Amino acid sequence: MTEHRCYFGSLISQRADKNVTRFFVFNARAKDLKEWLGIRRIKDVKKGAQRVLRKARASAVTKFIEASSINTIPNSILIAFDPGKAKFTSLSKEIIEGIIQTNSPLENPVNILNGCENQLNWGVIEFSFERNEQEDAKPALIVDGQHRLYGMSNFDKEDLPITVVSLIDANHQEQAFQFIVVNNKAVRVSAENVKSIIADFDEDELEKRLVLARVKYGDKPLILRSLNDSPSSPFQNLLNWSYNREITEETQLVPITAIEQTMRYIRKSFTVLENDEDSLIEFFCATWRAVKGNYPELFGKNNQFMTKANISAFNEYITDRLVYFWEMDLLDVFESDEIEEKVLDIIKRLPKEFWLKNWKLRIQDTPNFRDIIKNDLKTIITNSKLGKDWMNGLELIETEE
């Protein structure tokens, strides 16, 4: 089924060179844009210029929007129309005549070209597309901002408008060039600059918004606050710090050093997550959501399971096996559902009674003690495969001879 689109905006030639690629700037709804924008990903097609869509990063954008009704994303997305895909029609003459006829009450004459004569033109672009076209065959492709677009379009409460900068008649080499430039020129704001920026504002209110939006604020422990506060986190309200003091004798709060230690181990094991904090957080949450779901009687309770030593050891045990799945192309570390499924496969034969029995060694958060826990977990799996009693040969649990 063929569909048509027509958008009003401005066409700009930023340089005087006649071979320069022109920009058409306009605004449109996120859900509408998603209908006809495609992605030419590096791993899928030759001459691709986009990275793989990471659901965790798109989800982080959605969560940023959901965090507050006044959170906005003013950044534009950058797209590109292949040569001959879009037709531009100038309306500048009609607009000027219309302004004159309306007898504008403004004191000074309106200059719709904003001083950019000979390089700016107002009008519309038009194009057609087939709804069932393949991603890389759609009329325009995303050069930068795929996670922004998908995250904003997945926000159900509103259909958000986005500013779009589109390259007109841009060949694949120009698209790749722009992608590389955009993704290598960004500079993170330093902690010192952040602190100076917020100095004259309501710091408490601003901090709340930044934390909910997962935006780093000075030296604040962003990941920990996110894991403690987020409803999707298995450790919501379970971290042992000043925010969580209303607990019962049955409740076991988790030392924040345990969380930091587990996150470091995951980051070290999966270097692909090293510079992708949103995906790292989602990987961690997916892992421990599966653990929490498999051991609901143990999770968050005052027992051996929730000690720092066990959390760190169990995390290492699970992560080491997930690395194997990943290396064998049996796991996509950016797919939460796959992570949870694999974690459940890893732990489902480990009985909760292991943590309910009295351990004959004093619990210590040391590498040696963590190795003992991991070795016992391996032994339990071996016993299960050989049809033996699961407690046979464990170091932590005494068995009757």
Side-chain angles (χ1 to χ4, degrees):
M1 177 181 176
T2 302
E3 295 192 24
H4 302 274
R5 291 291 189 274
C6 179
Y7 297 98
F8 175 78
S10 61
L11 185 69
I12 182 79
S13 295
Q14 196 173 68
R15 304 297 302 277
D17 191 313
K18 65 179 181 179
N19 294 317
V20 73
T21 299
R22 298 177 297 171
F23 312 153
F24 184 78
V25 184
F26 64 102
N27 291 90
R29 302 280 183 183
K31 289 180 173 58
D32 173 46
L33 291 168
K34 194 176 174 183
E35 292 289 324
W36 53 266
L37 278 174
I39 302 174
R40 186 180 285 123
R41 297 189 179 93
I42 297 169
K43 81 177 193 71
D44 294 332
V45 297
K46 188 177 180 180
K47 295 185 179 180
Q50 260 290 7
R51 293 169 289 199
V52 174
L53 179 71
R54 296 181 178 178
K55 289 186 178 180
R57 293 186 63 188
S59 176
V61 173
T62 307
K63 289 175 181 176
F64 169 80
I65 297 295
E66 291 173 339
S68 172
S69 61
I70 59 173
N71 280 0
T72 59
I73 300 178
N75 309 60
S76 62
I77 65 170
L78 178 62
I79 70 172
F81 287 93
D82 283 346
K85 287 282 188 177
K87 174 187 176 184
F88 175 76
T89 303
S90 174
L91 295 175
S92 291
K93 181 179 178 181
E94 289 80 358
I95 294 172
I96 293 172
E97 291 176 351
I99 292 174
I100 293 173
Q101 292 174 5
T102 58
N103 295 318
S104 171
L106 298 175
E107 294 182 4
N108 298 312
V110 177
N111 180 359
I112 66 168
L113 301 179
N114 299 328
C116 299
E117 286 79 5
N118 301 321
Q119 288 178 276
L120 186 147
N121 204 338
W122 290 94
V124 296
I125 57 166
E126 300 175 82
F127 56 89
S128 300
F129 66 98
E130 299 293 332
R131 180 169 288 275
N132 296 323
E133 282 179 319
Q134 293 183 348
E135 281 282 299
D136 61 307
K138 292 187 177 181
L141 302 168
I142 302 172
V143 176
D144 182 67
Q146 61 170 331
H147 295 102
R148 237 170 297 147
L149 175 63
Y150 277 72
M152 294 173 77
S153 64
N154 289 339
F155 181 59
D156 294 329
K157 294 181 180 179
E158 299 176 53
D159 192 359
L160 305 171
I162 302 178
T163 299
V164 182
V165 176
S166 54
L167 307 175
I168 304 297
D169 295 331
N171 59 37
H172 295 173
Q173 182 168 312
E174 177 69 15
Q175 294 176 34
F177 172 81
Q178 294 294 345
F179 174 80
I180 294 170
V181 170
V182 167
N183 286 281
N184 279 278
K185 289 297 185 181
V187 179
R188 184 180 291 274
V189 180
S190 69
E192 290 75 16
N193 282 350
V194 171
K195 290 176 181 178
S196 64
I197 289 169
I198 59 94
D200 295 327
F201 299 95
D202 184 338
E203 184 170 348
D204 289 340
E205 182 62 30
L206 188 55
E207 178 185 351
K208 290 177 183 177
R209 286 188 67 193
L210 291 172
V211 168
L212 285 172
R214 286 187 183 177
V215 177
K216 185 171 178 59
Y217 159 55
D219 58 357
K220 297 292 182 181
L222 172 62
I223 290 181
L224 295 176
R225 281 292 300 273
S226 177
L227 291 174
N228 186 78
D229 297 348
S230 173
S232 65
S233 168
F235 290 94
Q236 185 184 25
N237 300 324
L238 284 179
L239 300 193
N240 188 11
W241 60 1
S242 58
Y243 298 100
N244 301 320
R245 289 305 183 201
E246 297 180 6
I247 60 172
T248 65
E249 292 182 0
E250 294 79 24
T251 303
Q252 173 77 15
L253 293 182
V254 179
I256 59 175
T257 51
I259 303 300
E260 291 172 329
Q261 193 164 285
T262 56
M263 297 288 276
R264 279 197 301 270
Y265 194 84
I266 294 172
R267 194 193 299 267
K268 182 184 72 173
S269 301
F270 291 97
T271 54
V272 69
L273 300 175
E274 190 171 2
N275 297 313
D276 188 348
E277 200 163 86
D278 290 319
S279 295
L280 175 66
I281 293 173
E282 188 51 42
F283 183 100
F284 173 83
C285 286
T287 297
W288 284 91
R289 279 196 299 266
V291 173
K292 182 178 181 180
N294 199 58
Y295 304 106
E297 305 92 339
L298 302 178
F299 206 91
K301 306 298 192 302
N302 189 6
N303 53 45
Q304 295 173 140
F305 187 87
M306 296 301 291
T307 59
K308 179 184 177 184
N310 184 72
I311 288 174
S312 296
F314 204 24
N315 182 76
E316 291 175 15
Y317 175 84
I318 293 169
T319 302
D320 289 346
R321 279 143 189 78
L322 291 177
V323 168
Y324 169 78
F325 287 124
W326 178 60
E327 290 175 342
M328 297 296 291
D329 289 330
L330 299 173
L331 172 68
D332 185 343
V333 297
F334 302 107
E335 290 289 344
S336 299
D337 291 343
E338 285 191 32
I339 296 168
E340 291 190 46
E341 182 182 340
K342 284 292 188 292
V343 171
L344 188 58
D345 285 341
I346 292 168
I347 67 177
K348 63 186 180 183
R349 288 191 295 271
L350 299 171
K352 66 181 180 181
E353 287 76 18
F354 172 69
W355 290 278
L356 294 175
K357 294 281 187 181
N358 290 326
W359 287 357
K360 60 184 180 182
L361 298 178
R362 184 172 64 87
I363 297 175
Q364 306 173 70
D365 183 35
T366 64
N368 288 339
F369 190 81
R370 292 198 297 271
D371 285 342
I372 291 173
I373 295 176
K374 290 188 289 183
N375 288 334
D376 271 6
L377 295 176
K378 295 174 186 176
T379 301
I380 292 173
I381 296 300
T382 301
N383 288 339
S384 174
K385 288 182 178 294
L386 297 177
K388 296 181 179 180
D389 187 320
W390 68 267
M391 291 189 293
N392 188 57
L394 300 185
E395 292 185 66
L396 289 174
I397 300 175
E398 293 183 358
T399 55
E400 297 180 2
E401 296 297 336

